[in-house]
Amino acid sequence: MTSPRTRRLAVLASGQGTNLRALLEAPDLGGSIVVVLSDRPDAGALAIAREHGVAAEALDAGRGRLTGTAEAAWLERLARADVDTILLAGFMRILDARFLAAYPGRILNIHPSLLPAFPGTHSIARAREHGVRVTGCTVHLVDAGVDEGPILDQTAVAVHADDTLESLTARMHSAEHALYARAVRAFLTRPFTLEGRRVTWQ
Ligand code: GRF
């Protein structure tokens, strides 16, 4: 009997890379991060990947949505790394239909709010300014919408009356780090069904 193939993961990140670090350091992710790509040569995520001995590259992403020849170069790099699952971790580009079709149902994203509340940017600040008592983080499958795909897992984070944006952001980041590793592990190791947009773990 042959053992199942180890999942080969790519992480796409634009920023400092704290979620990437949490994924790289998770004890049992259920797969191996083989490449980290960024649209920003100065992204902290690239340095974190190299620190961990993982191939890391900045690729041109053109302007706005990732399309055209830039998109083709990203897809070619991912194919060359023989990746089967893509993890977005603070990736600030929108993927279009061609990219989604290359990895159907196999692109995950983490978002710092309890979706469908506060999609888009500055979600932590917007939740705090809105006066919510509970916010949180969501890991979801990526579809053609922005922060709209089926929810794989969520975790709640209380907003304290004396929270500053900094204190809330710090708590949100720790919650994200635990959630993303847990959700990726579940996605890679546990069967689930998808009915409409409802994910049920078996
Ligand atoms: C995280 O809050 C993530 O949810 C959002 O962008 C941020 C990235 O942070 N999509 P980091 O680069 O992982 O530190």
Side-chain angles (χ1 to χ4, degrees), residues 15-20 89-90 110-112 173 176:
Q16 55 181 348
T18 65
N19 279 285
L20 168 67
I110 183 150
H111 182 78
H173 274 152
E176 282 192 308

Side-chain angles (χ1 to χ4, degrees), residues 28 30-31 37 44 51 55 57 61 94-95 99 104-105 113 116-117 138 147 149 159 178-179 186 190 196-197:
D28 177 18
L37 300 180
E51 230 178 76
E57 240 175 82
I94 296 172
L95 302 177
F99 201 114
S113 75
T138 304
D147 302 327
V159 182
L179 176 71
R190 288 179 60 187
R197 35 170 310 120

Side-chain angles (χ1 to χ4, degrees), residues 72-156:
W74 283 68
L75 288 172
E76 190 278 324
R77 183 65 187 88
L78 292 166
R80 191 148 43 88
D82 195 17
V83 154
D84 53 62
T85 304
I86 313 267
L87 309 176
L88 308 184
F91 188 57
M92 300 306 285
R93 300 300 183 125
I94 296 172
L95 302 177
D96 77 1
R98 178 184 179 193
F99 201 114
L100 299 178
Y103 297 93
R106 299 211 59 90
I107 307 179
L108 279 61
N109 182 41
I110 183 150
H111 182 78
S113 75
L114 288 178
L115 291 172
F118 307 110
T121 56
H122 306 296
S123 307
I124 303 175
R126 281 161 50 224
R128 179 174 167 275
E129 280 154 26
H130 197 90
V132 301
R133 292 332 197 233
V134 179
T135 181
C137 345
T138 304
V139 174
H140 64 93
L141 293 172
V142 174
D143 67 7
V146 175
D147 302 327
E148 277 182 10
I151 291 169
L152 293 171
D153 203 354
Q154 290 185 306
T155 197

